[in-house]
Amino acid sequence: MSLQVYINGHYVPKESASISVFDHGFLFGDGVFEGMRSYGGRVFRLEQHLRRLWDSARSIYLEIPLSREAMAAAVNATLQLNRIDDGYVRLIVTRGQGTLGLDAHLCTQPAVVIITDHIALYPAEFYEQGLEIITASTLRNHPAALNPRIKSLNYLNNILAKIEGHHAGCVEALMLNHKGEVAECTGDNIFLVRAGTLLTPPTDAGILEGITRDAVMELAVAAGVAVREIALTRHDVYVADECFLTGSAAEIIPVVKVDQRPIGDGRPGPITRDLSARFRTLTRGR
Ligand code: PXG
């Protein structure tokens, strides 16, 4: 049986799962989404993802046409129907069908889509050897224009930064904010280790408040590692002892080179490896 996609309360085979070309999600990127992981058939931190989705929707005046409980049930039902244990879930809510104009009031029915799939991980060597990344010249969105805390369907600035990374032979790229501070990567949050302390940019640096980021900060505190959310510059990156990225899909991935400069000794560091092991235990048990 092919993968079944949830569209507005119905299940449709992947091959015929489609949305109208008049949907404002398609026409304007007018909508919000979540990318989540399931382990052993359960979504990791589903409540937190739903809270973020509802916050994103509220921020763009989008009313999700389901209760949070019904959405959670729909996500779980879609995973079960597709018999996916360790997988990826993409939850999308768009403004729905409207006209070719911008007017959101003409979109009367938001579209809700839930796609579950097997997870496409980065190759194992990236986790073992660490990634090389570059700083993109494309800045993260100015928070006063479109706040990066909104996980909206407008990912164009991140996509442009990712293309820059690709041109430099990198699978991820570091994005700075409008002040020139370190914000995050195109689809992952960033952490540094300096003198045994874990450093990461604060929310007001204009970043998505990653759910993996939250989990990693909790794990660090439990491991006795001090955590500071503090404005960081590229200087801090270059002189860090360790660097790693976090995201639902990538989990924790070491970074060993930034802009051609080795970070620390150029190998994944001990705190990165310890937090990765703790994250595996948290998500998969022993
Ligand atoms: N920052 C941004 C800009 C993101 O899009 C994260 C951080 C990590 O957040 P979580 O909650 O997942 O820990 C994301 C994650 C991809 C991809 O292909 C990434 C994301 C969404 C869709 C695709 O890398 N978001």
Side-chain angles (χ1 to χ4, degrees):
M1 189 179 78
S2 77
L3 280 169
Q4 301 289 305
V5 178
Y6 173 105
I7 303 183
N8 300 324
H10 302 284
Y11 288 102
V12 183
K14 170 183 169 180
E15 294 73 22
S16 45
S18 54
I19 284 282
S20 164
V21 295
F22 291 97
D23 191 297
H24 279 211
F26 174 72
L27 287 173
F28 301 118
D30 185 359
V32 293
F33 77 104
E34 281 297 320
M36 313 182 274
R37 276 296 300 273
S38 70
Y39 300 97
R42 286 182 50 89
V43 174
F44 180 66
R45 303 208 162 173
L46 178 56
E47 295 304 316
Q48 246 181 291
H49 280 286
L50 293 181
R51 197 180 314 136
R52 189 170 69 181
L53 183 76
W54 255 259
D55 286 349
S56 294
R58 181 153 199 160
S59 188
I60 69 161
Y61 307 93
L62 176 61
E63 197 167 328
I64 299 177
L66 290 177
S67 67
R68 254 187 246 199
E69 292 71 31
M71 187 70 93
V75 166
N76 289 324
T78 309
L79 276 170
Q80 269 172 23
L81 177 68
N82 289 299
R83 294 197 185 83
I84 291 177
D85 286 337
D86 295 330
Y88 185 78
V89 184
R90 178 64 57 84
L91 179 45
I92 305 142
V93 184
T94 77
R95 190 82 61 187
Q97 280 186 54
T99 66
L100 295 178
L102 287 173
D103 200 342
H105 296 98
L106 300 175
C107 304
T108 51
Q109 188 56 43
V112 179
V113 174
I114 304 169
I115 308 169
T116 56
D117 205 348
H118 301 285
I119 182 86
L121 287 174
Y122 281 133
E125 70 196 67
F126 288 8
Y127 293 89
E128 289 150 17
Q129 316 283 323
L131 284 187
E132 190 174 322
I133 64 172
I134 54 134
T135 305
S137 64
T138 307
L139 298 181
R140 197 71 176 88
N141 282 327
H142 195 300
L146 178 62
N147 198 310
R149 290 172 76 178
I150 304 170
K151 202 164 166 62
S152 88
L153 294 177
N154 276 275
Y155 255 56
L156 195 50
N157 76 318
N158 299 44
I159 287 168
L160 295 179
K162 186 144 179 147
I163 291 171
E164 287 184 58
H166 186 79
H167 286 161
C170 301
V171 297
E172 253 296 10
L174 175 61
M175 301 183 76
L176 306 178
N177 67 16
H178 61 287
K179 293 189 264 185
E181 298 161 348
V182 170
E184 59 183 335
C185 285
T186 67
D188 299 290
N189 291 112
I190 188 164
F191 284 87
L192 304 176
V193 177
R194 172 77 173 182
T197 297
L198 195 60
L199 308 173
T200 198
T203 321
D204 64 14
I207 61 168
L208 182 77
E209 292 172 287
I211 283 153
T212 319
R213 173 182 176 273
D214 258 13
V216 165
M217 290 196 290
E218 289 168 20
L219 289 174
V221 169
V225 175
V227 181
R228 293 180 69 197
E229 294 181 69
I230 185 175
L232 298 169
T233 63
R234 277 198 286 175
H235 169 79
D236 297 300
V237 177
Y238 300 148
V239 302
D241 301 320
E242 304 181 32
C243 176
F244 63 85
L245 312 181
T246 64
S248 295
E251 303 184 323
I252 297 178
I253 192 153
V255 171
V256 293
K257 228 178 212 189
V258 180
D259 300 330
Q260 317 283 345
R261 303 170 189 237
I263 303 302
D265 67 1
R267 289 191 303 244
I271 292 184
T272 304
R273 283 189 273 115
D274 179 57
L275 289 172
S276 299
R278 287 172 190 271
F279 189 78
R280 262 194 305 281
T281 305
L282 177 68
T283 53
R284 297 163 173 89
R286 293 194 183 275

